[in-house]
Amino acid sequence: RQAELTRVLGERLDGLSTRLGQSLTEQTKSTHENLAKLQERLAVIDTAQSNIQSLAGQVVQLQQILSNKQTRGAFGQSRMEAIIADGLPHGAYEFQATLSNGNRPDCLVKMPNGAPDLVIDAKFPLESWNAMRDANQSGNPEAIKAAQNSFRRDVEVHIRAISEKYFIQGETQDTAFLFVPSESIFAEIHEYFEGLVQRAHRSRIVIVSPSLLMLSIQVIQAVLKDVRMREQAHLIQGEVVRLMEDVARLDERVRKLQAHFSQASRDVDMILTSTEKLTKRGAKIEALELGAEAP
């Protein structure tokens, strides 16, 4: 019995050791798999962190651009140039062109049919707008009112400058575009500064956002395409007229050739008549009927 009990205890201990070993092996394998997954997730997190750092650097660069008046103007100018260059063919516009009075607008759009050029200005006073936004965030009513008055005054001065510099009789259109490089700024101007919008309309200046400028450029492109189609239609009409003249000359020459062929046919008939007579006389000579016909 002691031997049997020892054998049973040994078997149970062996089974327990086997199961314990298998469990440790499975736990080790699972631990390695979890560590591998954790390492992959850490790699993804490192990549996302590097992307966030790169994006933060770009935001800082954009903030530096927008903090500088000259570079901010270049930012609005570049956005306006991209919209126009994508929508109009080369030669239908000109950037930084010089007018007859010496002023240089940001863009001149060449209108069809010899019409005056359209002026587009991209120098929007973003400094006053940023100051007004900072005042709104501060919550100080006096600061907000002062910033709004400053922004309103700067926009009015800019509208007056456009109307005085870029409206030339016979050289430019009596309407100009004031480009705003942001849809949100455009919406807030029309919502909270209706007086500025009316003032611009009275001065024949249209405030346009990127989407409105794109729509206007598409309309101008359609007009230019229609003009080109009309020019091509006139060219085709002229070619058709010349083609009809050539057809008329060809008809006249064919009729003359037909007359020549008719005359040649009559001549051939007369020749055939003569040959027929000659053939008959030869037959008579051959039949010795010439002597009977002589008396």
Side-chain angles (χ1 to χ4, degrees):
R1 290 179 179 178
Q2 289 180 354
E4 183 68 18
L5 181 61
T6 302
R7 185 181 61 80
V8 172
L9 289 176
E11 290 178 355
R12 290 184 178 181
L13 287 174
D14 291 339
L16 181 61
S17 299
T18 302
R19 288 194 297 271
L20 183 60
Q22 291 177 353
S23 177
L24 289 175
T25 302
E26 292 176 356
Q27 289 181 0
T28 303
K29 183 178 179 181
S30 176
T31 303
H32 284 297
E33 291 178 354
N34 291 329
L35 289 175
K37 292 180 180 179
L38 180 60
Q39 187 176 2
E40 292 177 356
R41 292 179 180 178
L42 289 175
V44 172
I45 292 173
D46 291 336
T47 304
Q49 184 178 3
S50 62
N51 292 332
I52 291 173
Q53 291 177 353
S54 176
L55 181 61
Q58 294 177 1
V59 170
V60 171
Q61 292 178 358
L62 180 61
Q63 184 178 5
Q64 293 176 354
I65 290 174
L66 295 179
S67 63
N68 189 349
K69 180 178 179 180
Q70 184 176 2
T71 54
R72 183 163 59 248
F75 174 74
Q77 173 77 17
S78 62
R79 192 169 187 186
M80 181 266 297
E81 290 180 358
I83 294 174
I84 293 177
D86 290 340
L88 293 179
H90 184 70
Y93 57 88
E94 185 177 0
F95 298 126
Q96 300 296 328
T98 303
L99 300 176
S100 60
N101 58 4
N103 293 315
R104 299 180 63 186
D106 295 325
C107 179
L108 279 180
V109 178
K110 307 293 183 181
M111 302 302 290
N113 299 323
D117 299 334
L118 175 65
V119 174
I120 301 177
D121 186 272
K123 302 180 186 67
F124 185 77
L126 286 177
E127 299 84 8
S128 301
W129 176 265
N130 291 330
M132 184 179 63
R133 185 183 57 185
D134 296 337
N136 291 330
Q137 292 178 356
S138 66
N140 188 353
E142 296 181 357
I144 293 175
K145 185 176 181 180
Q148 290 178 352
N149 292 331
S150 177
F151 174 73
R152 186 180 294 105
R153 182 173 58 254
D154 291 343
V155 174
E156 289 177 352
V157 169
H158 189 55
I159 291 173
R160 189 182 310 113
I162 293 175
S163 62
E164 292 176 355
K165 292 180 180 179
Y166 301 144
F167 288 162
I168 303 175
Q169 184 68 28
E171 185 176 354
T172 61
Q173 293 283 337
D174 57 356
T175 300
F177 284 175
L178 173 58
F179 177 69
V180 178
S182 174
E183 298 289 344
S184 60
I185 296 177
F186 175 81
E188 292 192 17
I189 288 175
H190 280 73
E191 184 175 358
Y192 299 108
F193 297 93
E194 182 65 24
L196 287 178
V197 178
Q198 297 299 329
R199 176 69 177 272
H201 285 175
R202 287 194 297 270
S203 299
R204 301 188 304 277
I205 297 173
V206 181
I207 302 175
V208 294
S209 63
S211 59
L212 285 180
L213 179 61
M214 189 179 302
L215 179 61
S216 302
I217 293 303
Q218 290 177 356
V219 173
I220 295 174
Q221 183 183 15
V223 173
L224 292 175
K225 185 182 295 184
D226 182 68
V227 171
R228 289 196 299 268
M229 290 180 63
R230 289 182 181 180
E231 292 177 353
Q232 296 298 325
H234 290 306
L235 292 176
I236 294 173
Q237 185 178 5
E239 292 296 330
V240 170
V241 171
R242 286 189 286 271
L243 180 63
M244 293 303 297
E245 293 176 354
D246 293 336
V247 171
R249 284 192 294 269
L250 179 62
D251 180 71
E252 182 181 357
R253 292 170 183 175
V254 169
R255 291 182 182 278
K256 289 182 179 179
L257 183 60
Q258 184 181 7
H260 289 305
F261 277 130
S262 299
Q263 183 64 37
S265 179
R266 288 193 296 270
D267 293 340
V268 170
D269 291 338
M270 293 176 65
I271 292 172
L272 290 175
T273 302
S274 300
T275 55
E276 184 180 358
K277 290 180 179 181
L278 290 174
T279 302
K280 289 180 179 181
R281 288 186 180 278
K284 288 180 180 181
I285 292 172
E286 185 178 1
L288 299 176
E289 295 179 359
L290 181 62
E293 186 179 353

